C-alpha cells in the first residue's frame, strides 16, 4: 500500500484521532488497552489506513543491539500510536513515546487515553 495516500503526519494524526473517537463512542470506557488497540486497528483499516500492531523497534547502543521497544501501532509507516487506559498521562508516558521515536527514526507519535468516555490525546514530536 502506498503510504503517501493519506498525506502528511499531521493528516494521519487527524485521521487517527477521529478513529479513536469513533472507537470510544462505540465501545465506551472500561475495557483493557488490548481491546481498544484491536478496535482501533480495525477502524483504521475501515478508513483505508495501513497500520501494524505490536511493532518491535530495536534499540542500539554505539551500533550494537541492546534491547527493543514494542510500539502498540505504527500507522502509514509514519506515526507511532501508543494506547493507555490510565487516570491521566504521566511524564513516563511522554518519555516512552520519545524513546519509541528515537528507536524508530520517526518524528511523530500519538498518545491516546481511553480511560474516560472522551478520549484524551497528546501529539508528541521528536526531531534529532
Amino acid at each position: 500500500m502506498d503510504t503517501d495516500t493519506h498525506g502528511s503526519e499531521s493528516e494521519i494524526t487527524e485521521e487517527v484521532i477521529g478513529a479513536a473517537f469513533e472507537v470510544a463512542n462505540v465501545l465506551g470506557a472500561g475495557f483493557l488497552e488490548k481491546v481498544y488497540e484491536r478496535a482501533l486497528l480495525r477502524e483504521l483499516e475501515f478508513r483505508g489506513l495501513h497500520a501494524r500492531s505490536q511493532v518491535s523497534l530495536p534499540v542500539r547502543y554505539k551500533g550494537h543491539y541492546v534491547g527493543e521497544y514494542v510500539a502498540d501501532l505504527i500507522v502509514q509507516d509514519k506515526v507511532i500510536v501508543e494506547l493507555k487506559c490510565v487516570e491521566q498521562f504521566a511524564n513516563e508516558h511522554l518519555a516512552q513515546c520519545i524513546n519509541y521515536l528515537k528507536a524508530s527514526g520517526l518524528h511523530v507519535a500519538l498518545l491516546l487515553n481511553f480511560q474516560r468516555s472522551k478520549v484524551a490525546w497528546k501529539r508528541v514530536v521528536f526531531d534529532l
Side-chain angles (χ1 to χ4, degrees):
M1 172 179 263
D2 180 10
T3 58
D4 289 330
T5 302
H6 286 273
S8 70
E9 292 152 334
S10 292
E11 292 169 330
I12 294 166
T13 57
E14 187 175 309
E15 289 260 9
V16 173
I17 292 165
F21 276 100
E22 177 66 12
V23 168
N25 287 339
V26 172
L27 291 179
F31 290 102
L32 296 174
E33 289 174 19
K34 186 56 79 179
V35 172
Y36 295 109
E37 178 184 319
R38 290 178 185 145
L40 184 57
L41 193 60
R42 292 290 172 239
E43 184 62 30
L44 292 169
E45 181 181 304
F46 296 153
R47 293 169 182 241
L49 291 159
H50 173 69
R52 298 179 291 142
S53 66
Q54 297 302 303
V55 180
S56 178
L57 303 171
V59 177
R60 301 199 174 277
Y61 175 76
K62 294 185 176 183
H64 297 278
Y65 173 85
V66 294
E68 68 182 14
Y69 273 116
V70 179
D72 288 339
L73 299 173
I74 296 183
V75 181
Q76 296 294 110
D77 293 321
K78 291 183 179 180
V79 176
I80 293 175
V81 179
E82 182 62 24
L83 287 77
K84 299 293 179 196
C85 288
V86 294
E87 279 302 312
Q88 62 184 18
F89 293 130
N91 289 337
E92 294 81 15
H93 301 135
L94 294 173
Q96 182 182 26
C97 285
I98 291 168
N99 286 334
Y100 286 165
L101 292 171
K102 286 179 186 177
S104 69
L106 297 176
H107 302 287
V108 177
L110 267 180
L111 186 55
L112 302 173
N113 187 5
F114 286 92
Q115 181 68 23
R116 302 190 195 296
S117 57
K118 184 176 178 187
V119 175
W121 60 272
K122 281 193 181 280
R123 186 172 187 259
V124 181
V125 178
F126 178 78
D127 287 314
L128 295 174

